[in-house]
Amino acid sequence: MIWFSVRRLALLIVSLAVASVVIFLLLHLLPGDAAQVAAGTQASPAQVEQARHDLGLDKSFVHQYASWVGGVVHGDLGSSVLSGVSVSDQLNKKLGVTVPLVLGSTTLSILVAVPLGIFASIRHRRVDGVALSALTQLGIALPTLFVGLMLIVIFGVHWELLPTQGFPSSGWRDRSEAARSLVLPVVTLAIAQAAVLTRFVRSAMLDVLHQEYIRTARAKGLTRLQAITRHGIRNAALPIVSVLGVQVAGLLAGVVVIERVFSLPGIGQMLLKDVGNRDIVKVESTLLVITAIVLLIGFLVDVALRLIDPRLRSAR
């Protein structure tokens, strides 16, 4: 298990290094001039050239890449071209919105999907089980944008129970207000996430319910629920954990729509704005951080799978 973790960490580092090269090259192929943006629209050619020199854009790609990566290795993600503010400080602030949003929706989806998926597998030939499966199909089919707008209309406009736009300027200092501002976005993301996860739980549990060890457990006197709880869930957990890891990674990379709908100052909104402003250093550092988080999630999923299934621990 230790050697496996070491190998996976080494692969993570190599993958992150390759990703940094790809991010750097692709962003420098984008149209536009970061020096022109930094100097301003009314800047003279001399001022633009001075801005290009100050930003290091007059040096070779290799030098620019080495300078950026060298700073990242030492914990310096650089500074924004437009504001001059540290990228690390801005990322910490934005992740304080995005990470709770992703974790909250994931937790809620697990709490909903696991029992519903188990119920749907047990009752898969009954009317209520079929109805539940049809409901999950509807949850998958509904666009997240539409669901978010409907929740805003119902809970924000008509009933006026929850805030629908923005996030407290004080951040998490006012925890109750910050949590209330994330309720609708979390529920919006969790609906689609739970619908997908419920179907995977149902499918995994259906496979487990027909295994010999479940029949043996029932023959020893366990009820169906006891057999599923003690033996079924753990054996069905492998595909569920894998899918959950993919979902969380996808949410981190795709929360921009929800942050846009609910006007949340998260990392997705920031990234969208920075791409438009051609703030190259900030964009590439932000993308690298997101990539690192996604790779870390993959690493944790692999470790979790080996902890769940002892058979995988002996595999190379």
Side-chain angles (χ1 to χ4, degrees):
M1 187 66 181
I2 295 177
W3 283 113
F4 168 78
S5 300
V6 172
R7 289 197 304 269
R8 286 294 287 114
L9 279 174
L11 180 61
L12 187 152
I13 294 172
V14 172
S15 300
L16 192 58
V18 173
S20 69
V21 175
V22 174
I23 290 171
F24 179 84
L25 292 178
L26 289 180
L27 286 179
H28 281 76
L29 291 175
L30 290 176
D33 189 354
Q36 182 69 64
V37 173
T41 56
Q42 303 300 322
S44 64
Q47 290 173 321
V48 173
E49 286 301 319
Q50 182 61 44
R52 181 172 287 107
H53 175 74
D54 294 339
L55 295 172
L57 298 177
D58 55 345
K59 297 181 173 62
S60 67
F61 276 7
V62 175
H63 187 279
Q64 292 180 49
Y65 172 78
S67 177
W68 170 55
V69 171
V72 171
V73 171
H74 290 88
D76 181 13
L77 297 178
S79 301
S80 169
V81 172
L82 298 179
S83 64
V85 179
S86 169
V87 175
S88 298
D89 293 340
Q90 295 183 65
L91 272 177
N92 288 335
K93 186 176 180 180
K94 301 302 182 182
L95 286 173
V97 177
T98 300
V99 171
L101 175 61
V102 171
L103 292 181
S105 62
T106 301
T107 302
L108 181 58
S109 67
I110 292 173
L111 294 176
V112 171
V114 172
L116 287 184
I118 294 174
F119 177 83
S121 65
I122 296 174
R123 309 276 296 182
H124 68 283
R125 293 181 179 175
R126 307 292 180 87
V127 174
D128 48 1
V130 174
L132 181 57
S133 296
L135 189 62
T136 59
Q137 287 281 35
L138 179 62
I140 296 172
L142 287 175
T144 304
L145 176 62
F146 173 78
V147 174
L149 292 176
M150 289 300 97
L151 291 180
I152 288 174
V153 171
I154 295 171
F155 293 98
V157 178
H158 288 309
W159 293 349
E160 298 182 356
L161 295 176
L162 294 166
T164 61
Q165 299 289 305
F167 192 77
S169 57
S170 59
W172 286 96
R173 293 177 183 176
D174 187 353
R175 295 185 179 181
S176 61
E177 190 62 28
R180 289 183 74 248
S181 67
L182 290 181
V183 170
L184 291 182
V186 163
V187 173
T188 302
L189 285 175
I191 288 175
Q193 197 176 2
V196 174
L197 193 57
T198 298
R199 295 197 64 83
F200 274 95
V201 173
R202 177 184 179 274
S203 178
M205 289 304 302
L206 281 175
D207 291 338
V208 166
L209 290 176
H210 295 92
Q211 298 298 321
E212 291 296 333
Y213 54 82
I214 294 293
R215 296 193 183 95
T216 303
R218 293 292 305 279
K220 289 182 178 180
L222 295 181
T223 64
R224 195 173 196 180
L225 182 59
Q226 288 174 330
I228 290 173
T229 304
R230 296 184 186 182
H231 305 285
I233 293 179
R234 183 170 181 175
N235 286 281
L238 294 178
I240 296 171
V241 171
S242 299
V243 170
L244 192 60
V246 173
Q247 283 189 316
V248 175
L251 284 179
L252 275 172
V255 294
V256 60
V257 174
I258 292 301
E259 290 179 355
R260 188 83 171 180
V261 170
F262 293 94
S263 298
L264 295 174
I267 195 170
Q269 279 280 73
M270 182 185 74
L271 188 59
L272 187 64
K273 181 180 178 181
D274 292 337
V275 170
N277 290 333
R278 200 70 166 77
D279 199 340
I280 294 298
V281 175
K282 195 174 175 185
V283 171
E284 60 190 9
S285 294
T286 302
L287 289 176
L288 187 64
V289 169
I290 294 175
T291 303
I293 295 175
V294 170
L295 291 173
L296 181 60
I297 290 172
F299 168 76
L300 294 176
V301 167
D302 286 343
V303 172
L305 293 178
R306 290 192 169 236
L307 291 175
I308 293 171
D309 191 345
R311 294 171 298 179
L312 295 177
R313 299 175 195 172
S314 59
R316 290 185 177 274

